[in-house]
Amino acid sequence: MADAVVNFLVENLLQLINENAKLIGSAKGELDNLLKVAQQLKGFLDDAAKLGYTNSEQWKVLVIEIHKTVHRAEDAIDKFLVQAKLHQDKNTMGRIFDWPRNLIKVRNLAAEIKGINDQVKEHRSNNQALQAIPVLELPKKGEVTQGPSLENEAVVGFDKEANTVIQRLVEGPMDSVDIIPVVGMPGLGKTTLARKIYNDSKLTYEFYSIVWVYVGQKCKAKDIYLRILKFFKKNIEDHLNDDVDTLAKAIGGYIKKGGRCLIVLDDVWEDEVIDHVRKVFAENKKGHRIMMTTRDLRVAKFANEEPHELKFLETEESFELLVMRVFGKGSCPNELVVIGKKIAKKCGGVPLVVVVIAGALRGRLDKKEWERVDKNVVQYLGDDTKDSCCLKFVKMSYDHLPQEAQMCFLYCGVFPRGFDIPCWKLIRLWIAEGLIKPQPESTLEEIAEDCLTDLLNRNLVIIMQKRSDGQIKTCRLHDMLYQFCKTEASNRCLFQEPDQSTLDPDTCRRLCIQPSNLSGFLSTTPFAEHVRSFYCFSSKQKPIDLSSNEIKLIHKAFPLMRVLDVESLKFSFSKDFNQLYHLRYIAISGDFKALPLTFGKFWNLQTLILNTSTLEPTLEVKAEIWNLLQLRHLHTNIPAKLPSPTTTTGKPSCLQTLSMVAPESCEKDVLAKACNVRKLSIRGQMAAFLGAYKGGINNLEELQCLEHLKLLNDVLFINKTLHLPPAFSNLVSTVKKLTLTNTRFAWSEADKLGTLEFLEVLKFKENAFTGHLWKPKSGFSALQVLWIERSELESWEASVINFPVLRQLVLISCDELDDVPLELADIPSLQEMRLDNTSKAVKSAKNVRDSKTSKSMKLKLSIFPPENESKVAQ
């Protein structure tokens, strides 16, 4: 983790030197020297991570020293830059800038870091000689090697799961090796389920040989082969020197002599393991099988595109397991049933958590003691005095992460427990915090999305909501994983909650605080220039009122702040806020009528999220945002009126998101400056914008990177019919996702969208089109998702010709629609249909589903309200 801190310092120095050459003036030489020694330290730390000698107590002490020194260097540089900026400002030109004092401080810090470099080098040389070669320990005779799991008798809620997997093992193809992966988060019971299946008597009738192999994180191919071979041959000493190919052939020979073989691979971490085990089935006409457990969805899908994803326990199942582990074969006393179910629910459906909590309850029959456990469920998850400590099992997954991903995972703990985290916000914060390293050919956002996908695949983050295009919309940490993040982040000084302890100036860089604790914290008049990030999250929609003095205290308390996310508060601006030059990320709410000129001074700003409660129809942007060369994302909850660039020359803006802007802001010079925008949302009176002969919507041709476009028409004249320009598809030819709301186009104009060759998601919301009949003449060649909401459509004719690759159809509040076209059943790719409050079309939707089923194609049909199902069935 130390290298991430140093990486941030190196990045900060590079940015300072490269982008502020005039500002730093004669200090460049000293800063160059500091950068040089910091880069040397970074190199040493990278080597330490690769060579794996970072677990000693000596190293941990050294890491603390690195943190403190690097943080002091950061503080000195950031203060230096603010002072230089203020000195440059016209209002402060009369002040004398103290160059010598600042240069001496930078020189001393460089010497300190050089001293740490020497210590790291010494530590490296001392440890390189201690690298040992791991020795294979084979299981003893008759022993089943396995990883951590629950006891056999503690199996609850797995009967249906076991039968499903057994059916897949028994059935399926006989002419190939079928692999059935069982995948789920740590503690969900993957090994327990695998053991239940392994011991099931049904399999002894189906398989001649059933082999159990515990794999784990460090198991090599040869180790796995020797463990399999030991099942077939008691003495394997004469094979210990064989290479992997020879071992694979030897195992294949034994398998060939017998009948069907099932190999169970427990706790698989790498996909190469699957390739290695496949080799033992060189000739397969008997229907051999491999069953495996893994935490990683990517590994599971490498083995089989349709893995068995283990479900969470229901509350009743959790309670049943809790009672079993607390009372054995006895029953739960009546007076403890209610509180027991409450405790079971807090275990979040994870068997391991239930078992750990049951250990805390065993032998306790006093209701007050159970109530005490109920209030402190989280505390027991992290009790590392017990061998069954949940967090130890999470740490196995954590340790297997790349170092950058470890920081990103722990960072999820800054959000409150049980908070649904918007993925776009999480990604923006990772970038602002410097946790995402640049890579060639990829944007920072793309790299961050890959990191989030990796965490999701490893079952360290739970998907809560998906977007229509399959992208993750919101995610959450399970309580067990959340507690791990809080504990580990605190140990590594990643972030801190002010009510936990006093602020440590050497370690505390990020503060996250609950709104209910904020006034009490501010009453202490804090001043913490070492703090770089301040968060105050809330699930409530309405911002919390604070006095103007309290808001000003936030501005004064953290003068070197980089990240400010206080959407949960009613915010206001002040003189001190205007001097927070290091801000990279701002998320605020308040009664804003305009974006002040002073925002143009935030030269590091990357993301600005501004929610206003003003009654004004638009938000005037007075700040010269085109001079903010780092600004990537601008989000406002009402249309923003953007200023025209003061010059059309120079570097284009790196803005990727403009959500949302007024139609009148889409002038040619504005969009030419914002030519890198990928996501654009336009809201306002669309008649003039769409109908302009020149300008207006025609200016969208400047956006050659545009992928997501939203057009939201504010309706004044209900009967006014708008028209799409004839060349619309040429203007937005790169768009992949298009949303239209209240545009009231005629259905005949929808054909103009069919020529968008990259269009994958199309959403018609709230009378996007008017009329009762839609009979498309063109084909939407790339369209995967079609969403129609609140439409007066009555009749719709369509077939595979119009939507050849459609994957999902969503119909919401289409009250007048009589039928879903039966011909949609001929679309091979159609996997899902959702009908909400579209009752007339339910019967036809079921016909489409039945027709696909008859063709051996699956279709998931969701109907709301669900009573429509019973009405149709009658």
Side-chain angles (χ1 to χ4, degrees):
M1 202 68 75
D3 70 325
V5 177
V6 177
N7 281 339
F8 204 95
L9 173 63
V10 170
E11 178 196 322
N12 203 21
L13 280 167
L14 281 170
Q15 182 181 337
L16 170 64
I17 294 169
N18 294 335
E19 298 179 10
N20 299 279
K22 293 181 179 179
L23 195 63
I24 62 179
S26 60
K28 186 176 185 303
E30 297 294 344
L31 291 169
D32 279 337
N33 184 52
L34 180 59
L35 175 61
K36 181 181 177 181
V37 293
Q39 287 175 323
Q40 287 175 346
L41 178 57
K42 179 182 178 299
F44 293 147
L45 294 175
D46 287 341
D47 288 345
K50 289 174 186 175
L51 296 174
Y53 49 82
T54 58
N55 294 320
S56 69
E57 289 303 315
Q58 180 189 356
W59 180 260
K60 291 176 183 176
V61 172
L62 190 56
V63 164
I64 294 172
E65 190 60 33
I66 291 171
H67 273 238
K68 290 181 178 179
T69 305
V70 168
H71 286 161
R72 285 204 302 275
E74 267 192 311
D75 291 348
I77 292 164
D78 285 350
K79 283 190 284 188
F80 167 81
L81 194 56
V82 168
Q83 290 169 7
K85 194 74 175 176
L86 289 171
H87 178 72
Q88 189 187 54
D89 191 272
K90 291 180 181 179
N91 295 326
T92 58
M93 283 299 287
R95 299 181 185 177
I96 298 173
F97 189 51
D98 193 353
W99 289 102
R101 182 186 297 178
N102 282 280
L103 295 180
I104 291 170
K105 183 174 283 189
V106 171
R107 191 177 300 137
N108 290 341
L109 285 164
E112 280 191 55
I113 294 177
K114 187 178 182 302
I116 289 177
N117 285 348
D118 295 336
Q119 293 180 59
V120 174
K121 284 169 65 177
E122 182 182 354
H123 186 83
R124 180 176 64 176
S125 59
N126 290 341
N127 282 271
Q128 279 176 334
L130 301 177
Q131 300 299 311
I133 301 172
V135 179
L136 169 67
E137 292 184 11
L138 292 170
K140 297 176 183 177
K141 184 178 179 180
E143 177 186 5
V144 176
T145 307
Q146 63 188 34
S149 72
L150 308 178
E151 290 87 342
N152 281 328
E153 66 268 17
V155 179
V156 170
F158 283 161
D159 290 344
K160 186 177 178 181
E161 303 256 16
N163 289 335
T164 300
V165 176
I166 289 171
Q167 185 178 5
R168 292 182 66 177
L169 290 170
V170 171
E171 298 174 1
M174 295 297 291
D175 59 348
S176 63
V177 178
D178 201 11
I179 305 175
I180 313 300
V182 176
V183 63
M185 67 173 276
L188 206 53
K190 300 178 293 297
T191 299
T192 303
L193 175 63
R195 287 178 62 190
K196 179 179 175 66
I197 294 168
Y198 173 81
N199 293 321
D200 196 291
S201 58
K202 297 190 199 77
L203 293 185
T204 59
Y205 293 103
E206 296 290 338
F207 293 95
Y208 181 79
S209 304
I210 305 177
V211 185
W212 179 283
V213 180
Y214 173 66
V215 181
Q217 289 178 301
K218 299 180 181 179
C219 205
K220 306 297 182 186
K222 186 171 181 176
D223 303 351
I224 296 169
Y225 283 148
L226 288 171
R227 288 173 182 177
I228 296 173
L229 188 60
K230 192 167 180 63
F231 174 87
F232 295 103
K233 188 177 181 181
K234 293 181 180 179
N235 190 345
I236 61 170
E237 288 185 6
D238 53 338
H239 290 282
L240 293 179
N241 294 322
D242 289 350
D243 59 30
V244 291
D245 291 334
T246 303
L247 289 171
K249 287 179 182 178
I251 296 168
Y254 285 107
I255 292 174
K256 191 174 181 180
K257 293 176 185 176
R260 294 180 79 186
C261 178
L262 167 63
I263 296 179
V264 182
L265 302 172
D266 184 35
D267 199 22
V268 177
W269 293 77
E270 304 294 344
D271 45 26
E272 304 94 76
V273 171
I274 301 155
D275 288 333
H276 291 313
V277 177
R278 272 198 183 110
K279 289 181 181 178
V280 306
F281 300 110
E283 296 179 16
N284 177 40
K285 299 294 181 183
K286 299 177 182 178
H288 301 305
R289 297 288 183 264
I290 298 172
M291 181 174 72
M292 55 177 276
T293 68
T294 181
R295 305 176 179 200
D296 195 329
L297 185 61
R298 182 194 61 81
V299 173
K301 288 194 172 183
F302 175 83
N304 190 319
E305 278 298 316
E306 295 185 7
H308 182 86
E309 297 190 43
L310 197 55
K311 69 177 182 66
F312 291 91
L313 295 179
E314 300 292 339
T315 301
E316 285 298 325
E317 293 171 332
S318 295
F319 179 63
E320 183 184 347
L321 178 59
L322 186 76
V323 171
M324 182 185 298
R325 294 305 302 256
V326 175
F327 301 105
K329 295 181 180 180
S331 59
C332 180
N334 290 336
E335 64 271 17
L336 297 178
V337 170
V338 174
I339 187 67
K341 288 185 176 181
K342 189 178 176 185
I343 293 171
K345 186 175 182 180
K346 288 185 177 180
C347 294
V350 177
L352 180 61
V353 177
V354 178
V355 170
V356 171
I357 299 304
L361 294 171
R362 194 177 294 124
R364 300 181 182 185
L365 297 177
D366 189 334
K367 186 178 179 181
K368 289 184 178 179
E369 290 186 286
W370 282 52
E371 289 172 344
R372 194 178 300 117
V373 171
D374 174 51
K375 292 177 181 178
N376 297 283
V377 166
V378 173
Q379 172 188 325
Y380 292 98
L381 302 186
D383 186 357
D384 57 10
T385 61
K386 299 185 171 83
D387 290 337
S388 58
C389 170
C390 294
L391 304 194
K392 290 181 180 178
F393 298 106
V394 179
K395 196 171 191 309
M396 292 172 65
S397 289
Y398 171 77
D399 288 340
H400 198 64
L401 287 171
Q403 207 159 34
E404 306 83 49
Q406 287 183 352
M407 285 280 277
C408 291
F409 172 54
L410 295 183
Y411 188 86
C412 296
V414 302
F415 295 92
R417 186 184 307 278
F419 190 84
D420 283 359
I421 307 169
C423 292
W424 65 268
K425 177 185 277 283
L426 180 61
I427 285 170
R428 308 280 193 270
L429 285 168
W430 280 348
I431 293 170
E433 291 281 10
L435 304 182
I436 304 299
K437 291 182 180 178
Q439 295 176 12
E441 309 301 324
S442 296
T443 66
L444 291 173
E445 287 76 10
E446 289 168 342
I447 300 165
E449 285 170 10
D450 288 342
C451 180
L452 179 56
T453 300
D454 188 37
L455 294 178
L456 291 164
N457 284 338
R458 293 172 189 263
N459 282 286
L460 291 172
V461 177
I462 302 170
I463 298 172
M464 297 307 294
Q465 286 180 291
K466 281 190 173 183
R467 298 188 184 278
S468 54
D469 58 0
Q471 297 295 309
I472 312 304
K473 185 175 183 179
T474 60
C475 60
R476 181 188 289 188
L477 290 177
H478 185 276
D479 277 1
M480 178 176 69
L481 300 172
Y482 180 81
Q483 186 60 27
F484 176 85
C485 287
K486 296 283 281 188
T487 303
E488 191 71 14
S490 177
N491 292 340
R492 295 185 177 274
C493 310
L494 184 62
F495 57 83
Q496 188 178 13
E497 291 186 21
D499 60 337
Q500 291 177 340
S501 60
T502 56
L503 301 184
D504 183 348
D506 286 325
T507 59
C508 178
R509 311 299 278 183
R510 301 172 181 89
L511 294 183
C512 43
I513 188 167
Q514 297 294 321
S516 56
N517 299 330
L518 186 56
S519 288
F521 170 68
L522 294 175
S523 66
T524 63
T525 318
F527 180 76
E529 63 180 14
H530 51 280
V531 170
R532 293 300 189 275
S533 305
F534 186 77
Y535 307 96
C536 187
F537 296 113
S538 173
S539 55
K540 296 179 181 179
Q541 295 296 320
K542 188 178 179 180
I544 298 165
D545 272 318
L546 289 178
S547 70
S548 59
N549 286 334
E550 286 177 315
I551 292 293
K552 288 177 183 177
L553 283 173
I554 296 176
H555 306 164
K556 287 183 178 180
F558 317 116
L560 302 179
M561 187 159 42
R562 294 189 185 117
V563 172
L564 176 65
D565 196 322
V566 288
E567 283 186 273
S568 60
L569 310 178
K570 193 169 182 181
F571 199 79
S572 58
F573 305 126
S574 73
K575 179 183 176 182
D576 291 297
F577 175 78
N578 297 337
Q579 293 181 2
L580 298 176
Y581 297 119
H582 290 290
L583 280 170
R584 299 181 174 200
Y585 178 104
I586 302 174
I588 52 178
S589 301
D591 188 17
F592 311 122
K593 294 180 174 60
L595 189 69
L597 279 167
T598 50
F599 268 73
K601 294 183 178 181
F602 298 141
W603 74 86
N604 285 312
L605 192 61
Q606 298 173 354
T607 297
L608 174 59
I609 303 165
L610 196 147
N611 299 303
T612 177
S613 56
T614 182
L615 298 178
E616 297 293 327
T618 58
L619 178 81
E620 185 179 359
V621 177
K622 295 181 178 179
E624 185 54 66
I625 61 169
W626 309 116
N627 291 338
L628 300 177
L629 299 181
Q630 306 294 327
L631 187 61
R632 308 164 76 85
H633 307 283
L634 175 60
H635 297 263
T636 55
N637 65 330
I638 65 172
K641 294 181 70 173
L642 305 179
S644 293
T646 53
T647 175
T648 56
T649 59
K651 188 177 179 181
S653 167
C654 65
L655 269 169
Q656 296 179 23
T657 305
L658 274 175
S659 177
M660 58 187 72
V661 298
E664 53 267 35
S665 288
C666 297
E667 296 293 338
K668 190 176 184 67
D669 59 343
V670 170
L671 297 188
K673 195 73 173 177
C675 59
N676 292 309
V677 162
R678 296 187 176 199
K679 296 182 180 181
L680 175 64
S681 176
I682 306 172
R683 178 178 176 180
Q685 299 300 313
M686 289 290 178
F689 178 70
L690 292 169
Y693 176 70
K694 290 184 178 180
I697 196 169
N698 297 289
N699 293 331
L700 294 183
E701 66 182 355
E702 300 289 339
L703 305 178
Q704 294 301 306
C705 300
L706 188 63
E707 294 180 353
H708 294 184
L709 175 63
K710 289 184 179 181
L711 299 179
L712 299 88
N713 183 41
D714 285 340
V715 179
L716 280 184
F717 306 103
I718 299 298
N719 296 323
K720 177 78 173 179
T721 301
L722 304 179
H723 299 279
L724 277 170
F728 181 73
S729 60
N730 294 329
L731 299 173
V732 293
S733 59
T734 56
V735 164
K736 296 180 179 179
K737 184 175 180 179
L738 176 63
T739 302
L740 304 175
T741 303
N742 269 325
T743 45
R744 305 188 66 82
F745 300 128
W747 279 109
S748 58
E749 298 208 13
D751 287 332
K752 296 176 183 177
L753 307 178
T755 53
L756 288 168
E757 57 180 313
F758 300 110
L759 187 63
E760 297 175 356
V761 179
L762 182 57
K763 292 187 176 184
F764 299 151
K765 292 190 172 184
E766 192 77 38
N767 294 311
F769 287 82
T770 60
H772 303 296
L773 171 65
W774 184 24
K775 187 176 180 180
K777 296 178 181 178
S778 63
F780 294 77
S781 60
L783 194 67
Q784 298 179 28
V785 179
L786 177 61
W787 180 304
I788 306 176
E789 182 176 347
R790 295 189 181 279
S791 170
E792 58 190 35
L793 188 65
E794 295 178 4
S795 179
W796 176 26
E797 299 178 22
S799 69
V800 67
I801 296 173
N802 307 115
F803 305 103
V805 296
L806 191 68
R807 177 176 52 82
Q808 181 185 28
L809 173 64
V810 179
L811 300 171
I812 299 177
S813 298
C814 297
D815 310 61
E816 304 303 318
L817 183 64
D818 293 322
D819 297 294
V820 174
L822 182 60
E823 291 79 4
L824 297 184
D826 297 327
I827 303 175
S829 56
L830 187 61
Q831 299 173 7
E832 185 177 352
M833 279 201 304
R834 172 183 156 199
L835 276 70
D836 288 4
N837 299 309
T838 308
S839 55
K840 285 186 178 181
V842 167
K843 186 174 181 180
S844 60
K846 291 173 72 70
N847 290 339
V848 171
R849 179 189 63 187
D850 296 342
S851 178
K852 282 190 72 73
T853 302
S854 67
K855 299 172 185 176
S856 300
M857 293 187 287
K858 293 181 181 179
L859 176 66
K860 179 183 177 182
L861 176 61
S862 304
I863 297 171
F864 182 85
E867 55 264 26
N868 283 333
E869 285 274 9
S870 57
K871 289 179 182 177
V872 172
Q874 293 171 357

